[in-house]
């Protein structure tokens, strides 16, 4: 895959809080993030300052800078303060590859890969939502991201990663992993970077849309592009909830992806259609949020997220007094999916990660969100629900095939890397899923103590040695900062000097 550095300068429409990066000497952040920079923090970890020079940042926000100042003043651990200082602005510092206010378009990369993932982008901006009502330029950027994604989804609803918009003048990247992969319906690789169908990618688009509205109450994003995208999401829901065979054993296929030929996911069985499924009310998916192939089609945490976001979609439309028919359909889909999760995926009060409608169930979890461990974070259930408590116990143990523990790090990983590389993201999800102070602190410092002296959150960490993957992973950085802001409200006494709650923008 082609890697992007900040020496390839961002194109932006300049506003009060957005700066055009013009410095010719800006470093390649892929290389920058692999070596300690700046002066170390005063804590025992002595973590480096890993932000680019202000002139090299791809978007500057005064509201974001104020939150950093506020949190640094409150956090009692200087190493956590440095981690927040590095991670909270990382999306804006490094990933806004293109932004044009007039065109209402923005292109956001995931970090060291030159493509925009719907899922990653939603998560990269999740921790800024409380600032959108006060930072108009940041809100304008997010609206431009939504509009660009609406164009993608309306044209290719089964795809999750995309090339720059043509208006940007940026050249499309070549994805080596997609070479030789056949996708139906066919896609244009000048627009699509990778067409793995992951239902959570569509959830990410809905999440970004509703969080923007919740913060701003601005309805101008509800344009023709956006409604066309929602129409295509409903199409995918209808198509992928169907059984593999109809009543006459006609094979039903709306999307297939062959894999193989060096692609990260292996060749897909049944001519690229995956394992058969039987209607339950859940929506099938071919790939997980890790971009790995699903074992069974009904990915439970992705369906949980879909149910939640469809309900939010209806709330947005009702509040905006628009498209009552779409709102009603969204609530119907949400209710059907939620009921199917509770009726068909629980055994002995433990959720399956995947099911197929025939009785097959895979009890495991993957670090990538949506995951079973992240169900409270997604808003699907309360962290005290007995089914979650019992499932969580299974997931954080040897009973989860992708849980691994070593001397210095432990957590949940997945097949995207390998079984002995758990992801820090899983420990962040674990924090969102508990109110136990000891559990929170244990998970928090497992992450903080394992940045390999770089002060950024990695993709995965080996349980055997000092190995890790992806030094620059904007989603993981954003998720960590979002978690600290959650603790700032929910458990301020654990992390703050004065123990008083803090909410950005308030």
């Amino acid at each position: 895959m082609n890697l992007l550095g900040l020496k390839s300068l961002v194109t932006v429409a300049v506003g009060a809080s957005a700066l055009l990066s013009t410095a010719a000497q800006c470093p390649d952040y892929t290389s920058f993030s692999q070596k300690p920079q700046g002066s170390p923090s005063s804590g025992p970890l002595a973590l480096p300052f890993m932000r680019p020079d202000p002139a090299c940042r791809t978007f500057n926000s005064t509201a974001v800078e104020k939150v950093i100042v506020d949190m640094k003043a409150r956090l009692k651990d200087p190493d956590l303060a440095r981690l927040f200082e590095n991670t909270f602005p990382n999306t804006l510092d490094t990933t806004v590859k293109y932004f044009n206010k007039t065109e209402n378009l923005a292109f956001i990369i995931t970090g060291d890969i030159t493509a925009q993932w719907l899922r990653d982008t939603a998560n990269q901006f999740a921790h800024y939502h409380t600032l959108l009502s006060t930072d108009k330029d940041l809100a304008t950027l997010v609206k431009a991201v939504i509009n660009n994604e609406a164009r993608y989804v309306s044209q290719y609803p089964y795809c999750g990663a995309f090339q720059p918009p043509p208006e940007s003048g940026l050249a499309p990247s070549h994805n080596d992993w997609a070479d030789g992969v056949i996708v139906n319906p066919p896609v244009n690789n000048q627009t699509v970077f990778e067409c793995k169908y992951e239902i959570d990618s569509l959830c990410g688009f809905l999440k970004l849309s509703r969080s923007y509205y919740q913060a701003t109450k601005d309805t101008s994003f509800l344009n023709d592009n956006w409604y066309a995208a929602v129409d295509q999401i409903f199409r995918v829901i209808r198509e992928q909830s169907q059984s593999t065979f109809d009543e006459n054993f006609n094979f039903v296929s709306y999307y297939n992806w062959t894999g193989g030929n060096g692609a990260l996911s292996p060749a897909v069985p049944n001519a690229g259609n995956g394992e058969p499924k039987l209607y339950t009310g859940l929506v099938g998916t071919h790939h997980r949020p890790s971009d790995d192939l699903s074992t069974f089609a009904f990915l439970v945490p992705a369906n949980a997220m879909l149910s939640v976001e469809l309900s939010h979609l209806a709330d947005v439309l009702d509040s905006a007094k628009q498209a009552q028919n779409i709102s009603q359909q969204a609530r119907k889909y949400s209710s059907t999916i939620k009921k199917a999760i509770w009726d068909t995926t629980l055994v002995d009060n433990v959720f399956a990660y995947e099911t197929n409608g025939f009785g097959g169930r895979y009890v495991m979890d993957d670090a990538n969100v949506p995951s079973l461990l992240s169900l409270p974070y997604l808003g699907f259930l309360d962290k005290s629900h007995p089914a979650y408590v019992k499932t969580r116990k299974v997931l954080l143990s040897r009973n989860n095939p992708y849980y691994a523990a070593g001397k210095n790090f432990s957590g949940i990983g997945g097949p995207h890397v390998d079984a002995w590389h758990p992801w820090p993201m899983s420990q962040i999800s674990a924090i969102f899923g508990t109110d136990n102070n000891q559990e929170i602190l244990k998970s928090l410092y497992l992450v903080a103590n394992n940045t390999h002296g770089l002060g950024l959150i990695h993709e995965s960490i080996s349980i055997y040695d000092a190995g890790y993957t992806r030094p620059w992973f904007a989603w993981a950085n954003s998720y960590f900062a979002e978690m600290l802001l959650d603790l700032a409200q929910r458990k301020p006494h654990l992390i703050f000097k004065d123990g008083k709650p803090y909410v950005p923008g308030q």
Side-chain angles (χ1 to χ4, degrees):
M1 295 179 178
N2 294 330
L3 302 181
L4 175 72
L6 294 185
K7 62 185 179 184
S8 182
L9 299 174
V10 65
T11 302
V12 293
V14 181
S17 67
L19 298 177
L20 182 65
S21 180
T22 58
Q25 303 305 314
C26 292
D28 174 352
Y29 198 79
T30 303
S31 300
F32 184 92
S33 63
Q34 295 182 52
K35 298 177 183 178
Q37 310 287 337
S39 58
S41 59
S42 60
L45 297 178
L47 297 176
F49 179 75
M50 297 298 287
R51 298 186 67 185
D53 184 84
C56 293
R57 296 170 190 169
T58 58
F59 190 96
N60 281 277
S61 163
T62 54
V64 166
E65 298 302 324
K66 183 179 185 305
V67 174
I68 294 170
V69 171
D70 290 347
M71 287 288 284
K72 285 177 63 181
R74 289 168 168 79
L75 285 162
K76 55 188 175 183
D77 183 339
D79 292 324
L80 289 182
R82 174 53 56 81
L83 278 174
F84 186 83
E85 184 178 21
N86 289 340
T87 60
F88 183 67
N90 190 249
T91 289
L92 299 183
D93 279 358
T94 66
T95 70
V96 184
K97 182 61 176 171
Y98 175 77
F99 170 45
N100 190 296
K101 178 179 179 180
T102 304
E103 294 170 344
N104 192 24
L105 293 173
F107 180 68
I108 311 298
I109 60 172
T110 183
D112 56 3
I113 303 173
T114 315
Q116 180 164 329
W117 264 261
L118 301 177
R119 169 189 58 252
D120 288 51
T121 302
N123 289 296
Q124 286 169 235
F125 280 90
H127 59 317
Y128 298 138
H129 72 276
T130 60
L131 303 179
L132 301 185
S133 61
T134 56
D135 189 332
K136 301 303 182 185
D137 291 313
L138 182 57
T140 301
L141 172 65
V142 174
K143 187 172 77 167
V145 174
I146 293 169
N147 188 52
N148 189 39
E149 292 194 345
R151 298 201 316 183
Y152 292 146
V153 173
S154 63
Q155 188 174 7
Y156 295 111
Y158 279 106
C159 303
F162 296 89
Q163 305 279 11
E167 292 88 345
S168 69
L170 300 171
S173 301
H174 178 74
N175 181 3
D176 296 337
W177 299 107
D179 287 346
V181 174
I182 299 173
V183 178
N184 285 302
V187 299
N188 181 348
N189 63 12
Q190 299 298 294
T191 301
V192 175
F193 182 81
E194 182 172 75
C195 195
K196 293 178 177 178
Y197 162 52
E198 302 149 345
I199 190 66
D200 69 283
S201 292
L202 301 178
C203 297
F205 169 73
L206 294 176
K207 177 181 177 179
L208 189 63
S209 298
R210 60 91 171 171
S211 63
Y212 173 82
Y213 177 79
Q214 288 171 338
T216 66
K217 296 300 184 280
D218 172 27
T219 61
S220 64
F221 75 99
L222 299 171
N223 58 21
D224 290 345
N225 289 336
W226 189 86
Y227 277 112
V230 170
D231 183 63
Q232 289 302 303
I233 292 172
F234 282 13
R235 169 197 153 200
V236 170
I237 292 172
R238 289 192 302 271
E239 292 176 352
Q240 294 303 321
S241 60
Q242 297 179 37
S243 298
T244 298
F245 292 101
D246 69 11
E247 63 274 13
N248 297 314
F249 277 93
N250 295 304
F251 192 82
V252 178
S253 175
Y254 295 97
Y255 165 92
N256 57 72
W257 184 93
T258 62
N261 295 304
L264 203 55
S265 291
V268 180
N270 299 309
N273 288 280
E275 286 294 311
K277 63 184 187 294
L278 185 67
Y279 176 83
T280 63
L282 298 177
V283 180
T285 188
H286 279 61
H287 287 83
R288 299 169 177 170
S290 60
D291 294 331
D292 299 308
L293 188 67
S294 299
T295 298
F296 295 136
F298 297 134
L299 181 58
V300 176
N303 273 270
M305 185 180 185
L306 181 60
S307 176
V308 169
E309 294 305 330
L310 286 171
S311 180
H312 283 307
L313 169 62
D315 290 343
V316 167
L317 293 174
D318 289 349
S319 175
K321 295 179 170 56
Q322 293 190 28
Q324 185 178 16
N325 59 326
I326 297 176
S327 169
Q328 291 173 345
Q329 187 62 59
R331 291 197 191 281
K332 182 178 179 180
Y333 282 141
S334 175
S335 177
T336 298
I337 294 165
K338 183 176 182 179
K339 183 176 187 300
I341 291 173
W342 289 106
D343 289 351
T344 70
T345 74
L346 271 176
V347 172
D348 295 330
N349 232 19
V350 173
F351 288 104
Y353 183 69
E354 293 169 346
T355 64
N356 63 4
F358 296 99
R361 48 189 277 114
Y362 192 0
V363 178
M364 62 157 283
D365 204 18
D366 188 286
N368 285 262
V369 179
S371 61
L372 292 177
L373 194 60
S374 68
L375 288 176
Y377 168 78
L378 299 175
F380 182 73
L381 46 59
D382 189 87
K383 62 178 72 74
S384 64
H385 193 287
Y388 177 74
V389 172
K390 189 171 182 181
T391 301
R392 175 190 171 94
K393 186 175 180 180
V394 170
L395 302 180
L396 296 174
S397 76
R398 287 180 177 270
N399 292 314
N400 174 7
Y402 283 99
Y403 175 82
K407 181 180 179 181
N408 296 316
F409 190 70
S410 63
I412 299 169
H416 192 73
V417 179
D418 54 47
W420 53 92
H421 273 81
W423 293 38
M425 191 179 290
S426 69
Q427 291 294 351
I428 298 171
S429 294
I431 292 171
F432 277 108
T434 184
D435 282 322
N436 182 286
N437 293 343
Q438 287 70 37
E439 290 178 353
I440 289 171
L441 290 173
K442 179 182 178 182
S443 292
L444 178 60
Y445 280 96
L446 273 174
V447 177
N449 291 337
N450 284 281
T451 72
H452 300 82
L454 295 175
L456 295 168
I457 311 305
H458 302 316
E459 177 188 56
S460 71
I461 298 170
S462 172
I463 62 171
Y464 299 129
D465 53 37
Y468 66 89
T469 60
R470 294 191 73 179
W472 178 23
F473 186 24
W475 175 10
N477 289 318
S478 296
Y479 198 34
F480 180 84
E482 185 181 7
M483 173 271 295
L484 279 182
L485 289 174
D486 173 65
L487 294 180
Q489 299 177 55
R490 186 164 59 97
K491 295 282 186 176
H493 61 283
L494 290 184
I495 60 173
F496 284 166
K497 299 170 187 175
D498 62 7
K500 297 179 180 178
Y502 170 74
V503 180
Q506 295 184 12

